[in-house]
Amino acid sequence: MSRAPSEHEMPTQARMDLRAARARRARVAKRIGVFVAIALVLVIMLFPFYWMILTSLRTQVDNTSPVPVWFFQPTLENYRNVIAENNFLRFTWNSFVIAALSTGIGLVLGLPAAYSIARYKQNGLALAILVARLTPYITYLVPWYIAFRALGLIDTFLALTMTHLIVGMPLIIWIMISFFEEVPIELEQAAYVDGASKLGTFLRIVLPLSMPGVVAASILAFIFSWNQFLFSLVLSGPNTKPVPVAVFNFISYGSIDFGGLGAAAVLITLPVIVLTLLIQRYIVSGLTMGAVKG
Amino acid sequence: MKRAMEFFDRHAALLFPLPALLAIVLLIVGPVLANLVISMYGWSIGRAPAFIGLDNFVEALTSRRFWNGVRNTLYFTGLAVPIQLVLGMGIAVLFHRNFPGKGFVRTIMLLPMVATPVAIALIWALMFDPSLGVLNYFLESLGLPRSLWVADSSIVIPSLVMVDVWQWTPMVALILLAALQGVPQEYYEAAEIDGASGLQAFRHITLPSVYGAIIVALILRSIDALKTFDLIYVITGGGPGTASETLNVYAFRAGFEFFRAGYAASLLIFLLFLVLGIAIFLNLLRTRSR
């Protein structure tokens, strides 16, 4: 490819054809290999989800068959049972309230902090939030439990919202720092010249310009609160139990209803997947605390 | 009102982050410090605490169950993270090309890491079931012997690692894929002109170019793997016996099943040092190689 071959090494037409055919065949083989490899990766990634859905649509007899039943008449009976018999709507509502409240408060506290870190280069504060990300969640749980118990706050939305704030707020701050950094400082300076206050400038100019980031950060914080298990496991009770804990208890007591388990798993995961599709660009950036830009 | 605004403007750099700072102090810094105090008490939740100095730490360091937890934590992390890095690199290279449905595939890759961990863990628990689970059906179809998976104390951790690998390899792959996109195509063209093989191009161009991203993935995954809770607690509860009881799960049981708050706090201090120590060590690795 790099140099023109000299006369004496120039192959005959036949040899050139042969070589071209061989190269073409190698290319086709490689393309098929790549295609098969990609398909295999996808199948492995999707299989547990596929199995979850199959389990949710099968009867208990089919689910406990020693040989997996791949083809069957799907039934919605499991969903009906989970929703009707297990207070599922109540748990879903609890999850929703905790996730919405903690995300809302996380925004109120986190947005100004992120703006401040971006505008005044407060790297120490950014580092503190990173350390919070390093600390195992369970470290907070023993002191929290003792404190909440003393205050009579176990099994209250207040306690769960406060603890879920630790999940959402750092995410919000971390994502929003880079959004706020991108707002041109000239816009803010122009506002100051017109007599706007710093708070007014932040609320009326910077924030509206960063709306896509706010939406992404809110959804991510909501998803993480929705998925949170450890805090809720210890601090929730009959009044506030969110779905993940409810589903976990579901298997701890009594015989396992496979179909019901599958249906519950599908029902918890579905909202998360829908939300993920809305903000897919920001998921990895959020999960890596900004180490990877979306 | 105007004077309030002027006051705010003068102290904006403090007042903007103040609410978040207060929340961090109250909910994060406070509890971490409180743990130091609690760890020096014999404190059964619901009873009066008694100061016992460093007895909890001594008890931990001399208990076999503590060292079992340390071993399991390191075993789980040490097995899961390298597999995720290698597979993630392979997937990143595989997906770093144009093919129909690429955007769709990237979306699919997000699903394991965002799906509710409890749901994921439950589905894997069903698939692991020794008599009814679909994994044994696959093994038999391939002519391999059945396995007890998480019910066998000698392979429970590799089985759990399998779930962690399934869940987090896509994230590693996406991190590395983003890094690969920053490698100029000309490098590969130049290598091809110089007659480099695909493997040589991978070793001398791809790997050095994404080295930084590999370290980032290594640090993030190690920290999270050391802290894994949901997956292990839901699938095995630390069992069979204590075969998959990591430090995290042990501390949880000590605190919330045996209600020994002081002892659990001392375990958590060890865990915190383990995580911070490994994070700092890995970060040194990164800065020294620059």
Side-chain angles (χ1 to χ4, degrees):
Chain A
M1 226 179 289
S2 56
R3 62 196 176 104
S6 59
E7 293 243 356
H8 65 272
E9 34 173 271
M10 181 87 82
T12 63
Q13 188 62 39
R15 272 167 65 193
M16 274 171 67
D17 283 355
L18 190 67
R19 208 179 279 178
R22 209 179 281 155
R24 210 177 307 128
R25 228 173 313 150
R27 263 203 309 276
V28 170
K30 193 184 165 203
R31 285 192 66 169
I32 293 175
V34 164
F35 178 77
V36 169
I38 290 175
L40 189 68
V41 170
L42 283 185
V43 166
I44 293 174
M45 270 192 283
L46 283 175
F47 183 78
F49 292 106
Y50 174 66
W51 196 249
M52 183 195 284
I53 296 169
L54 279 195
T55 306
S56 76
L57 296 173
R58 276 189 299 228
T59 60
Q60 179 76 354
V61 174
D62 283 349
N63 271 326
T64 50
S65 148
V67 176
V69 180
W70 298 93
F71 303 100
F72 54 91
Q73 181 73 42
T75 167
L76 289 177
E77 198 56 34
N78 296 316
Y79 288 91
R80 222 169 286 141
N81 288 343
V82 166
I83 291 171
E85 287 174 22
N86 289 294
N87 252 333
F88 202 81
L89 294 180
R90 175 70 196 278
F91 303 136
T92 310
W93 172 248
N94 291 343
S95 274
F96 178 82
V97 169
I98 296 164
L101 283 177
S102 66
T103 303
I105 298 172
L107 287 172
V108 171
L109 302 183
L111 290 177
Y115 174 67
S116 176
I117 291 171
R119 191 50 75 229
Y120 306 111
K121 306 272 171 276
Q122 292 162 330
N123 293 333
L125 187 56
L127 190 69
I129 292 159
L130 200 64
V131 171
R133 166 77 169 71
L134 293 183
T135 311
Y137 281 162
I138 189 173
T139 312
Y140 313 130
L141 207 48
V142 171
W144 277 349
Y145 184 81
I146 292 172
F148 287 142
R149 222 181 101 101
L151 298 168
L153 289 176
I154 302 282
D155 191 20
T156 60
F157 283 111
L158 178 64
L160 285 159
T161 302
M162 275 168 75
T163 55
H164 281 227
L165 200 56
I166 289 314
V167 181
M169 193 178 72
L171 269 176
I172 290 171
I173 294 180
W174 214 262
I175 291 181
M176 288 314 294
I177 291 173
S178 59
F179 274 94
F180 288 143
E181 275 170 347
E182 276 164 30
V183 175
I185 197 154
E186 291 78 15
L187 281 177
E188 293 173 46
Q189 282 159 350
Y192 299 147
V193 170
D194 290 346
S197 67
K198 286 189 173 162
L199 190 61
T201 307
F202 171 63
L203 291 176
R204 279 191 287 273
I205 293 173
V206 179
L207 214 46
L209 284 172
S210 314
M211 250 354 196
V214 175
V215 171
S218 315
I219 292 180
L220 211 56
F222 188 95
I223 292 177
F224 275 72
S225 165
W226 182 272
N227 283 350
Q228 229 297 317
F229 173 62
L230 178 59
F231 297 159
S232 314
L233 181 64
V234 173
L235 300 173
S236 75
N239 296 316
T240 53
K241 191 185 285 179
V243 208
V245 179
V247 174
F248 176 68
N249 289 342
F250 206 63
I251 54 157
S252 313
Y253 308 124
S255 71
I256 299 182
D257 165 14
F258 286 74
L261 205 57
V266 170
L267 289 174
I268 323 181
T269 315
L270 207 59
V272 176
I273 289 177
V274 172
L275 290 174
T276 300
L277 297 181
L278 295 177
I279 53 151
Q280 29 178 317
R281 266 168 21 101
Y282 304 103
I283 298 273
V284 175
S285 153
L287 280 169
T288 56
M289 296 300 273
V292 176
K293 294 282 186 289
Chain B
M1 187 62 197
K2 189 148 179 289
R3 283 184 53 191
M5 274 304 149
E6 274 166 14
F7 178 82
F8 190 99
D9 279 8
R10 253 198 315 281
H11 304 281
L14 176 68
L15 291 176
F16 270 122
L18 191 64
L21 265 177
L22 288 179
I24 288 172
V25 168
L26 189 70
L27 293 170
I28 296 181
V29 181
V32 171
L33 296 179
N35 255 327
L36 288 173
V37 177
I38 296 169
S39 68
M40 286 187 268
Y41 282 83
W43 194 328
S44 286
I45 290 172
R47 292 217 208 116
F51 185 81
I52 53 168
L54 296 176
D55 283 6
N56 284 321
F57 294 93
V58 174
E59 182 185 342
L61 289 173
T62 52
S63 99
R64 285 180 63 175
R65 199 163 170 179
F66 169 77
W67 291 107
N68 171 64
V70 172
R71 197 190 63 99
N72 286 339
T73 305
L74 295 177
Y75 182 20
F76 180 85
T77 306
L79 191 60
V81 176
I83 296 176
Q84 287 163 6
L85 290 178
V86 172
L87 288 181
M89 189 75 228
I91 293 175
V93 170
L94 182 65
F95 286 4
H96 183 54
R97 67 187 79 224
N98 286 319
F99 56 89
K102 188 175 181 181
F104 175 70
V105 167
R106 292 185 53 127
T107 306
I108 301 272
M109 289 172 79
L110 296 173
L111 298 184
M113 62 185 107
V114 294
T116 309
V118 172
I120 297 296
L122 289 174
I123 290 308
W124 277 89
L126 291 187
M127 300 201 304
F128 277 135
D129 191 287
S131 52
L132 305 174
V134 71
L135 292 181
N136 271 344
Y137 167 79
F138 286 145
L139 284 185
E140 282 194 328
S141 312
L142 294 169
L144 297 167
R146 299 171 76 92
S147 168
L148 286 173
W149 301 106
V150 291
D152 177 343
S153 54
S154 64
I155 59 160
V156 57
I157 289 196
S159 303
L160 291 169
V161 163
M162 199 164 100
V163 185
D164 198 67
V165 164
W166 174 82
Q167 199 180 1
W168 292 108
T169 300
M171 188 182 86
V172 174
L174 286 172
I175 292 175
L176 297 178
L177 203 53
L180 283 180
Q181 267 151 11
V183 185
Q185 198 53 42
E186 291 81 40
Y187 289 9
Y188 292 100
E189 285 159 12
E192 203 178 327
I193 288 169
D194 292 342
S197 71
L199 203 63
Q200 280 172 322
F202 177 76
R203 254 202 70 186
H204 297 289
I205 301 174
T206 312
L207 271 188
S209 313
V210 300
Y211 182 75
I214 294 177
I215 299 291
V216 166
L218 171 69
I219 294 176
L220 286 167
R221 277 313 307 144
S222 302
I223 291 167
D224 282 347
L226 290 168
K227 298 191 295 189
T228 305
F229 178 81
D230 298 8
L231 191 74
I232 300 174
Y233 191 73
V234 172
I235 295 182
T236 68
T242 55
S244 63
E245 194 176 76
T246 57
L247 214 43
N248 214 347
V249 173
Y250 181 32
F252 180 86
R253 288 173 123 179
F256 300 104
E257 286 176 19
F258 316 138
F259 297 107
R260 297 186 59 198
Y263 185 60
S266 74
L267 294 175
L268 291 172
I269 288 166
F270 282 117
L271 178 64
L272 186 59
F273 274 113
L274 187 69
V275 174
L276 286 181
I278 288 179
I280 290 168
F281 171 74
L282 292 176
N283 206 32
L284 276 182
L285 212 67
R286 180 169 69 151
T287 43
R288 264 179 64 182
S289 68
R290 277 208 183 122

